[in-house]
Amino acid sequence: MIVAIDGPAASGKGTLAKRVAQHYGLPHLDTGLLYRAVGAARLGAGGDLDDVAAAVAVARTLDLAAFDEEALKAGPVGEGASRVAAIPEVRSALLKLQQDFARQPGGAVLDGRDIGTVIAPDAEVKIFVTATPEARAERRLRELLERGESVTLIEVLADIRRRDERDAGRGAAPLKRAPDAALLDNTHLDKEMSWLEALAIVERRRAEIGL
Ligand code: CDP
């Protein structure tokens, strides 16, 4: 079973994807980390985020096993990730890795922006997770403060709005709900309620297709 979970920044898709993967014993790939790794490498090299050749070179040689997830989750890396993620050649360079992960025997859970639309349009289960920008900003603020970053709600909300706009407005694999994706708006749901809703969606779909 392939489970595709997409949604905008800080919608909680990563937490849900992890839990779905754990529940069904499936491997999980947070595809945002791939774009974050490319963005971080370019930022670290003091490089120009719009340098296509340099970003593609990084994307082609990513080593998933060497990812420092903690460092990649830092606030400023999200903006860099969204910049390099708008480059079609970077997306192409990361396509095979993601498709191979999705198509491994037994299936997998992937979360991102274009899993249900581009990476695994044939996924058995698709969920589009969303919440208002304000609700998402509050959650992301809590996460960043817990990490010891010093940011304000206004800054986090501005970052989320800017990334939403860039992710949804780009030509290459824009953030959008696949027509056959179930919508999970968790603006008014806590983590547990959101998980129960996601589980119900997966179970409904499994029953529908006889899995
Ligand atoms: O957790 P958050 O939503 O803030 O970020 P993320 O999922 O780690 O993704 C970081 C950035 O990578 C996003 O703003 C997107 O621009 C990009 N991304 C993408 O374009 N396609 C994906 N499948 C995953 C992430």
Side-chain angles (χ1 to χ4, degrees):
M1 166 174 77
I2 300 177
V3 182
I5 305 186
D6 290 302
S11 54
K13 60 193 181 308
T15 308
L16 283 178
K18 259 190 209 126
R19 198 135 174 210
V20 170
Q22 216 172 39
H23 185 82
Y24 292 101
L26 293 169
H28 165 230
L29 180 63
D30 170 353
T31 64
L33 287 179
L34 304 175
Y35 296 94
R36 284 175 176 267
V38 177
R42 295 300 300 136
L43 287 169
D48 172 6
L49 284 169
D50 300 318
D51 182 336
V52 176
V56 168
V58 175
R60 286 213 180 109
T61 54
L62 281 187
D63 178 7
L64 270 177
F67 276 8
D68 177 352
E69 206 174 316
E70 262 310 290
L72 294 178
K73 289 283 181 189
V77 179
E79 169 71 9
S82 144
R83 293 269 302 276
V84 296
I87 303 174
E89 293 87 344
V90 168
R91 306 199 72 84
S92 305
L94 294 173
L95 189 70
K96 187 172 182 311
L97 186 161
Q98 296 175 82
Q99 289 187 328
D100 287 349
F101 192 93
R103 291 177 190 154
Q104 60 189 293
V109 181
L110 289 87
D111 73 89
R113 301 291 188 288
D114 62 341
I115 309 304
T117 51
V118 175
I119 304 297
D122 52 345
E124 281 82 9
V125 184
K126 297 184 188 180
I127 307 179
F128 191 84
V129 188
T130 193
T132 61
E134 291 76 13
R136 291 186 278 126
E138 273 172 29
R139 288 178 203 156
R140 182 51 51 89
L141 177 70
R142 269 199 300 276
E143 274 170 31
L144 295 176
L145 291 178
E146 269 164 29
R147 294 171 45 93
E149 291 192 27
S150 92
V151 279
T152 64
L153 183 62
I154 300 209
E155 287 164 346
V156 176
L157 183 58
D159 172 66
I160 279 184
R161 286 191 193 282
R162 193 167 50 240
R163 283 206 284 140
D164 279 359
E165 207 175 295
R166 189 183 296 124
D167 293 349
R170 68 186 176 215
L175 166 71
K176 64 165 187 262
R177 177 183 169 192
D180 53 348
L183 182 68
L184 200 176
D185 183 333
N186 60 22
T187 303
H188 302 293
L189 303 180
D190 64 15
K191 263 192 190 157
E192 198 54 28
M193 296 288 290
S194 188
W195 155 242
L196 291 175
E197 184 68 27
L199 184 60
I201 291 170
V202 181
E203 283 300 311
R204 216 160 38 231
R205 187 72 187 124
R206 280 165 69 87
E208 247 169 51
I209 58 180
L211 267 184

